[in-house]
Amino acid sequence: MTVSASPDGMWSIGELAEQAGVTVKTVRFYSDRGLLPEAARSAGGHRRYGPEALDRLRLIRSLRTLDLPLPQVDRILAQEDAPGATDALEGAVAGQLRALGTQLSALRWREAALRLLHDCTPEERADRLRLIGAVTIPPTTDALARFWRHVLPARLPARLLSTLLEAAVPQPPADPTPSQVLTFVRLHAVATDPRVRDIDIRRLAARTSDGACRPAVLYEGLVEACTLASADVRAQRPPHAGEALDCFVTAHAGLHNTRDTPAFRRQLSTQLARLAHPLIDRYWQLAGELPSASSQPTIGAMDDWLRAALDAQVA
């Protein structure tokens, strides 16, 4: 039923509530918060609202139906007639979509984690529960990035470090299967293993005999070598000599300010075998099982291919 305004064009709080299909308590709440300004007060001190209050009240209800918080609703209403009103609403909707996406991702991860626990044997359950409990849901890649920041040399240029981290840190799948949850939490466990302190791969970038330190020379060359080897790795071709291996060896030779010779290749093969660490190998094995590795081989897979090519050549 439509309630007509009084002869002065005003509505009482009850009439406005009835017109909008809400309770008087709701109208009073929004009024007290300053979201619904009253036009006047009656002689008895009762609130009176003009016709524009109905449109304002319906807008508030629509925004609240989208679960926008009251402070954000207040900002949108404050700019309702301003030039940036559309921008404010679009920004609020975009923010709400991001928040909802995070919530949905958390629900998908939680469901997959619960299925992982539900379907495992009683003997496996305690260990899996420990692994799951060590990560946030939805998970972040912070621990994986810290792992590589520890392993990589401290003097790499920011651009190169960013490139290496982007390639070395896989993103968690948005809609994981239980097995992918298990892979990711195991990867997180590797990245936070206390034995990471023992990894001495940094010795690759130690100072050379002339006192120089050129870690960027090494890692820029390794990035190029991996790029050259990626097609062979993706096609599962056997490791072989060629441009990718030459680039790989040249990067190491440049670090040590020496030439690429057969003797250097033999020395490099021995040195790389000595620097191998089970945590690094396990990291790349797990990273290769995540969906991100289906489109592009991991750095670990390409490095293994290049080292195997070097070993085969010097053998």
Side-chain angles (χ1 to χ4, degrees), residues 95-153:
Q96 200 68 4
L97 283 173
R98 287 192 296 270
L100 184 60
T102 300
Q103 294 170 21
L104 291 174
S105 179
L107 288 173
R108 287 191 288 265
W109 269 83
R110 190 170 294 118
E111 180 187 18
L114 288 170
R115 292 191 181 280
L116 179 66
L117 293 172
H118 180 270
D119 297 340
C120 70
T121 65
E123 293 75 20
E124 296 172 317
R125 192 161 292 132
D127 182 59
R128 293 186 177 187
L129 189 58
R130 176 185 60 81
L131 291 171
I132 291 170
V135 303
T136 60
I137 294 182
T140 71
T141 57
D142 294 347
L144 311 187
R146 284 194 298 270
F147 173 85
W148 286 108
R149 288 181 185 277
H150 169 81
V151 169
L152 293 169

Side-chain angles (χ1 to χ4, degrees), residues 5 20 39 58 101 125 143 171 203 219 241 249:
R58 285 172 173 166
R125 192 161 292 132
Q171 294 299 313
R203 286 194 298 159
Y219 284 95
V249 175

Side-chain angles (χ1 to χ4, degrees), residues 26-155:
T26 297
V27 177
R28 184 176 292 112
F29 173 77
Y30 290 139
S31 293
D32 291 343
R33 290 295 300 260
L35 300 178
L36 188 64
E38 52 198 69
R41 289 267 178 163
S42 68
H46 299 294
R47 305 174 202 242
R48 304 289 288 171
Y49 298 91
E52 69 280 355
L54 180 59
D55 292 334
R56 171 64 68 94
L57 184 55
R58 285 172 173 166
L59 176 58
I60 294 171
R61 289 187 65 197
S62 297
L63 295 173
R64 291 294 289 154
T65 299
L66 296 173
D67 207 27
L68 292 178
L70 284 173
Q72 206 162 38
V73 172
D74 192 15
R75 286 194 294 272
I76 294 172
L77 295 175
Q79 300 179 27
E80 186 180 2
D81 298 323
T86 302
D87 293 340
L89 180 56
E90 288 179 354
V93 170
Q96 200 68 4
L97 283 173
R98 287 192 296 270
L100 184 60
T102 300
Q103 294 170 21
L104 291 174
S105 179
L107 288 173
R108 287 191 288 265
W109 269 83
R110 190 170 294 118
E111 180 187 18
L114 288 170
R115 292 191 181 280
L116 179 66
L117 293 172
H118 180 270
D119 297 340
C120 70
T121 65
E123 293 75 20
E124 296 172 317
R125 192 161 292 132
D127 182 59
R128 293 186 177 187
L129 189 58
R130 176 185 60 81
L131 291 171
I132 291 170
V135 303
T136 60
I137 294 182
T140 71
T141 57
D142 294 347
L144 311 187
R146 284 194 298 270
F147 173 85
W148 286 108
R149 288 181 185 277
H150 169 81
V151 169
L152 293 169
R155 294 171 296 278

Side-chain angles (χ1 to χ4, degrees), residues 109 112-113 116-117 127-140 143-144 172-173 176-193 282 286 289-290:
W109 269 83
L116 179 66
L117 293 172
D127 182 59
R128 293 186 177 187
L129 189 58
R130 176 185 60 81
L131 291 171
I132 291 170
V135 303
T136 60
I137 294 182
T140 71
L144 311 187
T177 64
S179 63
Q180 289 169 351
V181 168
L182 183 59
T183 297
F184 192 87
V185 297
R186 283 174 171 168
L187 185 63
H188 182 276
V190 168
T192 55
D193 192 310
R282 178 63 170 157
L286 292 167
E289 295 174 7
L290 291 172

Side-chain angles (χ1 to χ4, degrees), residues 240-297:
H240 58 80
E243 185 180 7
L245 178 59
D246 292 344
C247 183
F248 180 74
V249 175
T250 298
H252 286 281
L255 171 71
H256 296 287
N257 196 26
T258 189
R259 293 184 302 111
D260 175 7
T261 65
F264 176 76
R265 292 198 176 206
R266 288 193 295 272
Q267 175 188 351
L268 178 61
S269 176
T270 302
Q271 181 190 32
L272 293 177
R274 188 171 62 249
L275 288 174
H277 195 284
L279 277 181
I280 297 287
D281 293 341
R282 178 63 170 157
Y283 181 100
W284 289 125
Q285 175 195 349
L286 292 167
E289 295 174 7
L290 291 172
S292 55
S294 62
S295 58
Q296 175 66 22

